[in-house]
């Protein structure tokens, strides 16, 4: 093989899952020689076409090795790819069941939140008449998502509601005493 001619064959084999590239040192030496030849190559307008052919031929060596690398990688990974596909299928089946169960759990949680919201609205309706702010503000002005969380007891929300009524009533009273204009 000259510096820019590819070898007759690429002798890379797979044996018992091991990749054998016995000619690695030879290929490496030829690649170094080709590199050095290309670096020393006199490039001028007169030698332009020859240089282009030389570079293209050198590229063929790299391309040939790269194609062989890709082929071997696919071959070596084939058992893993089959295994990976099987695992993905199993995970997909489990995920399908999880999604159905999550939807059911969400429906239960949504129902519980709606029941808690109705109970809090009942408390609001019972208390709003006792405060000035109750005449101006609605339940939706007060209610926050956190109030509907399972971990927040109704008694705690009711306490916040009373504080809300009192603070807003004080604000309304203060503002009503201020001159307008």
């Amino acid at each position: 093989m000259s510096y820019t001619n590819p070898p007759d064959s690429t002798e890379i084999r797979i044996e018992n899952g091991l990749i054998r590239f016995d000619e690695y040192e030879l290929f490496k030496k030829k690649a170094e020689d080709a590199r050095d030849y290309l670096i020393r190559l006199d490039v001028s307008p007169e030698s332009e076409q020859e240089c282009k052919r030389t570079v293209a031929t050198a590229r063929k060596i790299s391309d040939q090795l790269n194609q062989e690398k890709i082929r071997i990688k696919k071959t070596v990974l084939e058992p893993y790819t089959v295994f990976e596909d099987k695992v993905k299928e199993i995970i997909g089946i489990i995920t399908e069941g999880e999604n159905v169960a999550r939807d059911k759990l969400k429906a239960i949680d949504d129902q519980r939140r709606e029941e808690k919201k109705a109970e809090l609205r009942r408390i609001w309706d019972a208390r709003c008449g006792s405060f000035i702010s109750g005449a101006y503000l609605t339940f939706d002005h007060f209610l926050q998502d956190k109030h509907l969380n399972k971990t927040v007891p109704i008694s705690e929300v009711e306490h916040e509601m009373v504080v809300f009524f009192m603070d807003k009533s004080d604000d309304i009273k203060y503002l009503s005493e201020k001159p307008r204009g």
Side-chain angles (χ1 to χ4, degrees):
M1 168 178 109
S2 74
Y3 293 131
T4 57
N5 290 333
D8 297 331
S9 69
T10 306
E11 196 59 41
I12 303 173
R13 298 180 315 275
I14 302 171
E15 296 176 359
N16 299 322
L18 297 175
I19 300 167
R20 294 190 45 108
F21 188 15
D22 295 333
E23 296 176 347
Y24 166 74
E25 291 298 330
L26 175 65
F27 268 84
K28 182 178 174 187
K29 174 70 173 121
K30 289 181 181 181
E32 289 168 346
D33 291 345
R35 177 201 59 205
D36 295 343
Y37 174 77
L38 290 169
I39 289 171
R40 288 189 316 270
L41 192 62
D42 179 36
V43 179
S44 65
E46 294 80 30
S47 66
E48 178 182 5
Q49 289 304 315
E50 178 61 28
C51 289
K52 285 182 178 181
R53 279 192 295 277
T54 303
V55 168
T57 304
R59 171 55 40 203
K60 286 179 185 177
I61 298 169
S62 296
D63 291 345
Q64 179 184 1
L65 282 171
N66 197 46
Q67 287 174 354
E68 188 66 5
K69 176 192 73 155
I70 291 169
R71 182 193 68 78
I72 288 173
K73 182 177 181 179
K74 285 180 183 177
T75 302
V76 169
L77 289 179
E78 188 175 339
Y80 173 78
T81 303
V82 170
F83 166 72
E84 182 180 40
D85 290 344
K86 289 177 180 179
V87 168
K88 284 180 181 178
E89 180 182 11
I90 291 168
I91 290 171
I93 292 167
I94 292 169
T95 301
E96 184 181 344
E98 287 176 347
N99 290 341
V100 170
R102 280 193 182 97
D103 289 345
K104 291 176 183 179
L105 290 169
K106 184 177 182 326
I108 290 169
D109 188 53
D110 289 347
Q111 177 63 34
R112 183 196 50 75
R113 291 173 71 87
E114 285 302 314
E115 289 169 2
K116 188 172 186 181
K117 184 176 182 178
E119 176 63 18
L120 292 172
R121 184 178 297 278
R122 186 189 64 69
I123 294 169
W124 173 275
D125 292 343
R127 289 193 174 267
C128 70
S130 303
F131 299 91
I132 297 170
S133 59
Y136 298 98
L137 301 172
T138 66
F139 178 66
D140 291 330
H141 288 116
F142 165 74
L143 188 67
Q144 298 175 21
D145 278 342
K146 70 177 185 174
H147 294 144
L148 301 177
N149 288 342
K150 190 178 184 177
T151 57
V152 179
I154 287 181
S155 60
E156 184 179 313
V157 178
E158 186 174 7
H159 176 72
E160 280 187 45
M161 187 184 297
V162 170
V163 170
F164 176 84
F165 276 131
M166 290 173 38
D167 287 348
K168 299 306 176 197
S169 292
D170 289 346
D171 293 346
I172 292 169
K173 187 189 266 185
Y174 173 77
L175 291 172
S176 65
E177 293 171 357
K178 290 289 181 188
R180 297 180 189 190

